[in-house]
Amino acid sequence: MTSIASKNLWIRRQQCPCGDWKCYITYEGDAEEGSVAPELMKSEKSSSGAMVTPYVGMVFKSDDDAFEFYGNFARRNGFSIRKERSRISPQLGVYKRDFVCYRSGFAPVKKKPNGEHHRDRKSVRCGCDAKMYLSKEVVEGISQWFVVQFSNVHNHEILEDDQVRLLPAYRKIHEADQERILLLSKAGFPIHRIVKMLELEKGIQGGQLPFLERDVRNFVQNRKKVVQENEALLCEKRENDILELLEACKAMKEADDDFVWAYTVDGSDKVENVAWSYGVSINANAMFGDVVYFDTTYRSITYGLLFGVWFGIDSYGRTIFFGCVLLQDETPQSFSWALQTFVQFMRGRCPQTILSDLDPGLRDAIRSEFPGTKHVIPQWNILYKVPSWFSLPLGSRYAEFKSELDALFHIENTEEFELQWSQMISVFGLGSDKHTDLLYSVRTSWAQSYVRGYFLARMATIAYSKSIDAFLKGIFTPHMCLRSFFEQVGISASFQHQTHQETQYIHLKTCIPIEEHARSILTPFAFNALQQELSLAMQYAASEVGNGSYIVRHFKRMDGERLLIWIAEGDQIHCSCKEFESSGILCGHALRVLLIKNYFQLPDKYFLSRWRRECSLLVADSHSNEGIGEEWFQEYQSLAETLFSESSITKERSDYVRKELTKELTRILNEVRNLPEMDGVCMNITVSPAS
């Protein structure tokens, strides 16, 4: 029996929220390096101009970077490359790399056992001398790779763009496409129909996929053979790996009493779902758990598990980890269990607002388990899906439709939204479209006119989504079993919760007393947001209309006026834009009126506790000594706190520390990486966010 591969593939969920398995969901940035569609490569070539030719003395950070660069150069110049020799030393590891043209060298002559030659099959190798040789050197503690030999002289024909894409090195099937191909194959689609459907879904011309029909046929045949040979072994491996994950959770609980975990089993006593969190995450949730993002973007092909993660945002604007779950399926029942378990982990606290992807099953579970919680679908989670839904049906009208849809996101009046939506559906003939029906059914979770005023803590932004993507991509390593995955989640979560005090000097922009007072209270993240609103306040004109009411307009724009109500009793200010209700930061409209009323300091009620400087200090103190037994770490923490305190007094000190600290830490890190990874001494240190 053939042994199964150890690769654990994690991909973005391809199931469409509408429930139709024929729909194909794509995401921006999904194209992997080395698997870029030929038309994309061609456009890059024309837009970016000629690529820099490698030369002797050229420097790369790593041999992988060098191989990628040389591969892109080869792709644009009509050939492909392969890795040839490498040399290793005990001190430096791999210190020489040889990359050569794919037609370098000559094919060896093979003989049959009786001495007869094999049937002649023409080899592509012709002794081409095109190459790029590299050597590693350590300069000031930093490893670098230098080009020591380069030749671009070929003794064979250089291929055109429409030919070079057919070389084996560039005919790669994306992991997402692999799943789609297998799904269509199981449904009985013949190979040529599968290829045609992929072309239609991607909106490209026939024959322009980055792989050929025979590649699809070979992939399907090989996968069927592997599945037939390894199905029993694969099931056994899955069960064993899940049991190892449970053992890792038990060991973590013994090492850290604040660690929490739970799991369920099916009727056959097999593990279905597993969830876990850490004491530091629970402490952080007590302060920042008012808004939670539940990400269910990725799932494992190997284990058939959906990975869900709960995130938040701290007072410094950093993404923080609250907990995670592995689910056997994507049913409302599984999502309900995940949400119930999360609340149990967080000591019974339900979030005020929960953000999630567009998923009807998850939406139903949130309604059931969190009836008092506001549910919001961020704009980015919808816009990623729109091209797959509408670009082909609408054709040349798609750009116009996209513009209309973008405008709908920002309409603030519900009656106007309903009118504009109906007009859009009528104009583009989408009255019977299942995707517009789906969007309309959940409009109260994404349209600005419905979610305006929900507290989001500045989490429904593109910048926040990018920080989440960075966290997720940091834990998905292909060759990793579930136990190693569990450990990697712990490492990443630990990094997210480390207290990195800001060492920046915050400049005043307006010299308004309100600004100077706020700087002493708010964290840099929150203060920067308030500064921007103060700058905008200077551009507004306010007209009093009686009884403490004001109409505020921008000095240039006549539209977008806001109604402000100021109540002297209790220092209350209310703006129709509801920015404070959404982000916890007063808007420029409200600040304009307060300035007119001669406020030199903002009322204390408008400095939310989650945005105050002392908030992060309280969270840090609550777990600063948990699980830390090493004196050297305590000494490091003390020195870091003292350094932050001393450097934040003046801008000159702050700039000096930032420059020197980065340089010194980089030097130490490179020296540590060059030390042996094993020395025979067991370090009894548990990897968790508390240590």
Side-chain angles (χ1 to χ4, degrees), residues 21 100 106 114 215 275 406 436 444 472 591 609 613 642 654 691:
W21 66 271
V100 298
F106 297 94
N114 58 8
D215 297 324
D406 288 343
T436 53
T444 57
L472 294 174
L591 291 170
S609 59
R613 288 177 177 267
T642 303
S654 175
S691 63

Side-chain angles (χ1 to χ4, degrees), residues 81-100:
I81 63 172
R82 70 172 190 272
K83 295 179 180 179
E84 187 75 347
R85 297 176 301 173
S86 62
R87 274 135 290 184
I88 303 176
S89 74
Q91 294 77 21
L92 296 175
V94 176
Y95 70 98
K96 286 188 181 295
R97 283 284 193 193
D98 295 350
F99 304 143
V100 298

Side-chain angles (χ1 to χ4, degrees), residues 384-398:
Y384 282 153
K385 302 174 178 64
V386 169
S388 294
W389 287 345
F390 302 109
S391 60
L392 287 179
L394 295 177
S396 59
R397 302 191 67 193
Y398 171 72

Side-chain angles (χ1 to χ4, degrees), residues 134-291:
L134 296 105
S135 179
K136 181 168 73 173
E137 296 182 15
V138 179
V139 180
E140 296 182 356
I142 300 176
S143 298
Q144 294 180 331
W145 288 81
F146 294 84
V147 177
V148 294
Q149 287 189 52
F150 174 73
S151 171
N152 199 33
V153 178
H154 301 265
N155 63 353
H156 55 87
E157 181 184 3
I158 297 299
L159 303 179
E160 297 294 331
D161 278 353
D162 59 341
Q163 297 173 316
V164 72
R165 72 180 185 85
L166 301 178
L167 293 175
Y170 306 121
R171 299 201 322 254
K172 298 183 183 296
I173 302 179
H174 299 187
E175 292 172 359
D177 289 335
Q178 291 179 13
E179 184 189 26
R180 184 66 170 161
I181 290 169
L182 292 176
L183 180 64
L184 295 173
S185 177
K186 289 179 181 178
F189 282 66
I191 298 300
H192 71 279
R193 293 293 299 165
I194 293 176
V195 172
K196 185 63 176 177
M197 183 166 286
L198 290 175
E199 291 171 346
L200 290 173
E201 291 170 342
K202 295 176 182 295
I204 60 177
Q205 297 180 355
Q208 293 300 309
L209 288 170
F211 45 83
L212 304 178
E213 183 175 318
R214 69 168 178 265
D215 297 324
V216 177
R217 181 174 289 103
N218 291 338
F219 167 73
V220 172
Q221 291 175 349
N222 291 337
R223 182 56 64 91
K224 286 181 178 178
K225 181 179 179 181
V226 169
V227 169
Q228 291 171 357
E229 292 177 345
N230 297 325
E231 188 63 35
L233 190 58
L234 185 59
C235 290
E236 182 181 355
K237 173 178 171 56
R238 286 174 179 168
E239 293 180 13
N240 290 338
D241 284 357
I242 290 177
L243 291 177
E244 283 190 5
L245 173 62
L246 298 186
E247 290 298 324
C249 289
K250 291 179 183 178
M252 180 65 74
K253 181 64 176 178
E254 293 176 358
D256 180 6
D257 192 55
D258 292 325
F259 175 79
V260 290
W261 65 295
Y263 67 96
T264 62
V265 295
D266 60 15
S268 303
D269 207 31
K270 292 183 179 179
V271 177
E272 287 182 313
N273 311 309
V274 185
W276 67 91
S277 184
Y278 306 91
V280 64
S281 299
I282 298 170
N283 290 331
N285 182 268
M287 183 64 69
F288 304 116
D290 45 4
V291 184

Side-chain angles (χ1 to χ4, degrees), residues 351-537:
Q352 177 182 340
T353 309
I354 184 168
L355 294 83
S356 77
D357 196 0
L358 174 57
D359 187 303
L362 179 56
R363 177 196 60 189
D364 293 342
I366 291 173
R367 286 178 177 177
S368 173
E369 302 302 328
F370 296 165
T373 296
K374 306 293 186 182
H375 180 211
V376 174
I377 302 171
Q379 183 177 347
W380 78 75
N381 271 332
I382 293 177
L383 293 181
Y384 282 153
K385 302 174 178 64
V386 169
S388 294
W389 287 345
F390 302 109
S391 60
L392 287 179
L394 295 177
S396 59
R397 302 191 67 193
Y398 171 72
E400 182 185 355
F401 167 80
K402 180 67 165 50
S403 177
E404 293 286 338
L405 184 63
D406 288 343
L408 279 171
F409 274 99
H410 304 292
I411 293 177
E412 296 181 358
N413 181 275
T414 55
E415 290 79 10
E416 184 181 354
F417 172 86
E418 297 290 341
L419 177 62
Q420 293 294 333
W421 178 271
S422 298
Q423 291 178 352
M424 182 186 73
I425 296 301
S426 175
V427 168
F428 293 96
L430 298 172
S432 59
D433 184 85
K434 60 189 176 184
H435 296 123
T436 53
D437 289 344
L438 173 63
L439 285 177
Y440 187 74
S441 69
V442 296
R443 65 192 183 283
T444 57
S445 294
W446 61 265
Q448 179 69 16
S449 55
Y450 289 98
V451 304
R452 192 162 57 99
Y454 291 4
F455 186 60
L456 303 177
R458 308 183 75 85
M459 285 171 57
T461 63
I462 295 297
Y464 188 77
S465 72
K466 289 181 178 179
S467 69
I468 290 174
D469 285 340
F471 177 92
L472 294 174
K473 290 176 181 178
I475 62 177
F476 294 135
T477 303
H479 298 282
M480 179 183 288
C481 64
L482 283 181
R483 185 182 187 115
S484 299
F485 173 73
F486 169 78
E487 294 172 351
Q488 184 59 45
V489 170
I491 293 172
S492 298
S494 174
F495 178 78
Q496 295 287 70
H497 284 289
Q498 290 173 4
T499 304
H500 302 292
Q501 298 287 2
E502 302 286 342
T503 59
Q504 65 185 68
Y505 179 81
I506 306 173
H507 293 276
L508 296 177
K509 293 182 178 179
T510 65
C511 296
I512 296 173
I514 285 179
E515 182 185 19
E516 186 172 0
H517 176 241
R519 181 174 64 171
S520 65
I521 296 176
L522 297 176
T523 63
F525 174 77
F527 178 70
N528 179 65
L530 184 67
Q531 265 192 328
Q532 294 178 12
E533 296 297 334
L534 270 173
S535 298
L536 288 174

